[in-house]
Amino acid sequence: MPIQNLIVNGSFETGTLAPWTFSGATVTTLNAHTGSFSARLQAGAVSYISQIVPAAPGNSYEFLVSLERATDALPSSPVQIEVLFLDASFGLLSTGFLITIPEGHIPAFSDASWLEVYETTSLSPAGTAFANVLIYTLPAPGTSDILVDDAALLNVSGTGSTGATGSTGATGSTGATGSTGPTGATGTAGNTGTTGPTGGTGAAGVTGETGATGPTGATGSTGSTGLTGGTGPTGPTGSTGATGNTGATGTTGSTGNPGPTGPTGATGSTGPTGPTGDTGSPGSTGATGNPGPTGPTGATGSTGSTGSTGDTGSTGSTGATGNPGPTGSTGATGSTGPTGPTGAGATGATGATGVTGPTGGATAVNRIYVANQNSNNISVIDGVTNTVIATIPGGNTPFAVAVNSALNRVYVTNDGEADVSVINGASNTIIATIPVGTNPDGAAVNPSTNTVYVSNSGSNNVSVISALSNTVVATIPVGAVPQLIGVNPATNRVYVVNLGGNNVSVIDGVTNLVIATVSVGLTPFGIAVNSRNNRIYVVNTGTNNVSVIDGASNTVVATVAVGSNPFVAGIDLALNEIYVANAGVSNVSVIDGVSNTIIATVPVGSGASEIAVNQLTNRVYVTNQFDNTVSVIDAVTNTAITSVPVGDGPTGIDVNP
């Protein structure tokens, strides 16, 4: 059976990445496994190459690729490789395989050795039309870029289309002579002539003309081998006969000397999560705790304006006359009131305690918070002056940012240590650290419920955090490799983008259960939610477009083409405009939310990674990962008005308006 490599330009010898879809990747001549070129994936962020190839149901495919790290002095970045089976509409059917190569397990190019990865997929399910090959790095600070070369996906079961005829192999050795067939029937004997005297041998007579060829008789068994005649002229080459059965496998050669121990194989993919158990009955309400100590008295507020005089109450019954008191000095004459002498009534009960007011301290307004994943800190930008006014030391590889303006709290996911830092916006200090899942890449806040949602791409789930207690109260399984996350406070729905599944998980914020899964484009990454019209916008990096989801029906109602390698999106609710950052062409596409058409394109910096919008000032903020800047866009005019230098490798961003 012919073997066909389904991947095009898997050795990158065209000097380009086409037709691969990519982000954070380039072609390099630094080193190559074969030829002159290889692909280079950037460390420290999610950098990937992806290619969709034709596939068929019922097949198993072999995947091969060679990997090497680009820098001797640093350990290799962690790498994940997966093959996904898709239907004709590019919907996910199943995962052929998912492997993870941990940090530090890929050899350096100076060693002149490559890590050879070989993996076989599971059988492609019914309905398979395509396979998506995805190779990407995971965020890890202080690691080396990765070189990729000679990627191949081979069909190893099922008959594919016939490939080009290969060159003729060397002639095999002559097979053993077949057994002698039975002797043919004896022809009719001619009449015996009269025997004449034996004369001398005459010269050989002229050979008579060859008689016409009779019809071919049935092939008999091979007769005994006659004497070898003189070699006749070579006849024309006959048509190639059918390929014979493959010969028996030769004996195994002697075992060679043991090679050096290879790197540890990639960890197998996590098994499917079991079904969620039934919800237990609510526990009994705990006893009311003792009242906490009274907080310090806040500064006296300014005196409010005097309210209007209420209606005069009815005159109470005259109380018993008290003993005459001593005559006081005559006071100034006041206005005559209807109030009689105080009755002897008991003091009324004390009214209920009012709702506790917010914690004292100035609320930071018009502040923009930027996570710098390479310098492990958070830049705080003043939205009035567009300058950095504070830098907050963060955790390991801060990645996503979400702001709860009601509590003046900022939540930053730390991808390198699987936790979330909680920042007090008044003091710009970290006041708590909350453990979550592996590789937390996305975060969003529902201010109506004081709930924080964190998507964990390494453990394929979402951590649900109570903003009042700073504890994880639930963990929700979602799709493969969840990335960014969005919330609609009006409907209490949470939307999680699954990069590895090409879909979006819809979570009910009351039950913390996935209630729907919506298929979108290829390699989705970013998301933005319009709570006013219940529209959700999903950025599909692999297909260079945006899927528009109706939140009421959980169906895609439109698809909008944007620029190259789009990553993220943000919304100006007042203008109903959606901003999509295109990392491949360093600009932002502006979509009109009514017509779903592009109405403007705004240039920004290199490596656009995330977008945030200040709904009060109509300012749009874009982090530029490769420029170490934040672009500021005026949403009214759709023009870039300034660029603010921040830390190293800015990714996540959010606004406290």
Side-chain angles (χ1 to χ4, degrees):
M1 179 194 71
I3 296 177
Q4 180 183 13
N5 182 8
L6 302 176
I7 292 177
V8 178
N9 194 26
S11 297
F12 311 101
E13 291 306 303
T14 63
T16 69
L17 289 174
W20 294 86
T21 298
F22 60 92
S23 177
T26 58
V27 168
T28 180
T29 56
L30 176 66
N31 200 12
H33 182 249
T34 60
S36 302
F37 297 94
S38 61
R40 182 168 182 163
L41 301 183
Q42 183 186 27
V46 176
S47 173
Y48 73 89
I49 56 175
S50 173
Q51 188 171 145
I52 306 293
V53 300
N59 286 350
S60 181
Y61 297 87
E62 290 181 358
F63 175 78
L64 303 92
V65 72
S66 299
L67 303 176
E68 191 175 69
R69 75 176 188 266
T71 306
D72 288 350
L74 298 174
S76 60
S77 174
V79 173
Q80 282 192 336
I81 304 172
E82 59 184 315
V83 172
L84 308 173
F85 293 124
L86 314 176
D87 62 20
S89 299
F90 300 103
L92 177 66
L93 296 176
S94 69
T95 299
F97 69 79
L98 170 63
I99 60 174
T100 301
I101 303 171
E103 178 180 325
H105 282 66
I106 298 175
F109 77 90
S110 63
D111 297 336
S113 61
W114 291 68
L115 174 62
E116 309 288 347
V117 177
Y118 174 85
E119 191 73 22
T120 302
T121 71
S122 58
L123 285 177
S124 53
T128 296
F130 301 99
N132 185 8
V133 179
L134 186 61
I135 307 171
Y136 54 96
T137 60
L138 297 174
T143 56
S144 169
D145 292 355
I146 300 299
L147 302 181
V148 181
D149 203 3
D150 293 338
L153 187 67
L154 309 178
N155 188 350
V156 296
S157 66
T159 302
S161 57
T162 303
T165 303
S167 57
T168 304
T171 304
S173 56
T174 304
T177 303
S179 58
T180 303
T183 303
T186 305
T188 303
N191 296 325
T192 304
T194 303
T195 304
T198 303
T201 303
V206 178
T207 302
E209 296 180 356
T210 303
T213 304
T216 304
T219 304
S221 304
T222 305
S224 57
T225 304
L227 298 175
T228 304
T231 303
T234 303
T237 303
S239 57
T240 304
T243 304
N245 297 327
T246 304
T249 304
T251 57
T252 304
S254 58
T255 304
N257 295 327
T261 302
T264 303
T267 304
S269 56
T270 305
T273 304
T276 305
D278 297 333
T279 304
S281 57
S284 57
T285 305
T288 304
N290 297 324
T294 303
T297 304
T300 304
S302 57
T303 304
S305 57
T306 304
S308 58
T309 305
D311 298 332
T312 304
S314 57
T315 304
S317 56
T318 304
T321 304
N323 295 324
T327 303
S329 58
T330 303
T333 304
S335 58
T336 304
T339 306
T342 304
T347 304
T350 303
T353 304
V355 178
T356 304
T359 305
T363 299
V365 293
N366 203 0
R367 296 287 187 267
I368 300 91
Y369 298 86
V370 181
N372 305 304
Q373 66 171 350
N374 295 336
S375 51
N376 293 332
N377 54 27
I378 296 92
S379 299
V380 184
I381 299 174
D382 182 340
V384 176
T385 63
N386 287 323
T387 57
V388 174
I389 58 173
T391 301
I392 307 169
N396 187 350
T397 319
F399 197 77
V401 180
V403 171
N404 186 343
S405 55
L407 298 179
N408 198 13
R409 295 291 184 265
V410 183
Y411 303 87
V412 182
T413 66
N414 299 307
D415 194 274
E417 57 190 42
D419 57 28
V420 174
S421 297
V422 184
I423 297 173
N424 182 333
S427 62
N428 284 329
T429 56
I430 294 177
I431 58 174
T433 301
I434 307 168
V436 289
T438 306
N439 299 120
D441 284 347
V445 173
N446 187 339
S448 299
T449 61
N450 276 324
T451 305
V452 185
Y453 298 89
V454 176
S455 55
N456 307 302
S457 67
S459 48
N460 295 333
N461 55 27
V462 170
S463 298
V464 184
I465 299 173
S466 166
L468 300 179
S469 64
N470 286 330
T471 57
V472 174
V473 296
T475 301
I476 308 169
V478 290
V481 197
Q483 290 297 310
L484 300 193
I485 191 167
V487 172
N488 188 342
T491 61
N492 200 6
R493 293 288 186 267
V494 184
Y495 300 89
V496 184
V497 177
N498 302 310
L499 180 146
N502 298 327
N503 56 32
V504 174
S505 297
V506 184
I507 298 172
D508 183 340
V510 176
T511 63
N512 286 328
L513 296 176
V514 174
I515 59 173
T517 301
V518 184
S519 295
V520 291
L522 298 181
T523 325
F525 190 87
I527 191 169
V529 177
N530 189 333
S531 58
R532 297 187 180 182
N533 63 10
N534 201 12
R535 288 288 187 268
I536 299 91
Y537 299 86
V538 180
V539 182
N540 305 307
T541 307
T543 44
N544 295 330
N545 56 26
V546 173
S547 298
V548 184
I549 299 174
D550 176 10
S553 62
N554 287 325
T555 57
V556 174
V557 295
T559 301
V560 185
V562 291
S564 173
N565 289 342
F567 257 94
V568 291
I571 295 180
D572 189 309
L573 297 176
L575 300 175
N576 194 12
E577 293 179 356
I578 301 90
Y579 295 82
V580 180
N582 304 307
V585 285
S586 300
N587 61 27
V588 171
S589 298
V590 185
I591 300 173
D592 175 31
V594 176
S595 63
N596 287 325
T597 57
I598 303 293
I599 58 174
T601 302
V602 185
V604 292
S606 176
S609 297
E610 182 59 293
I611 287 183
V613 180
N614 188 331
Q615 306 295 339
L616 300 182
T617 63
N618 293 118
R619 291 289 187 267
V620 181
Y621 300 90
V622 183
T623 55
N624 303 309
Q625 183 179 352
F626 303 145
D627 284 354
N628 298 330
T629 60
V630 172
S631 295
V632 184
I633 298 173
D634 182 343
V636 176
T637 62
N638 284 326
T639 55
I641 57 177
T642 192
S643 179
V644 184
V646 289
D648 188 2
T651 49
I653 189 170
D654 204 2
V655 173
N656 189 344

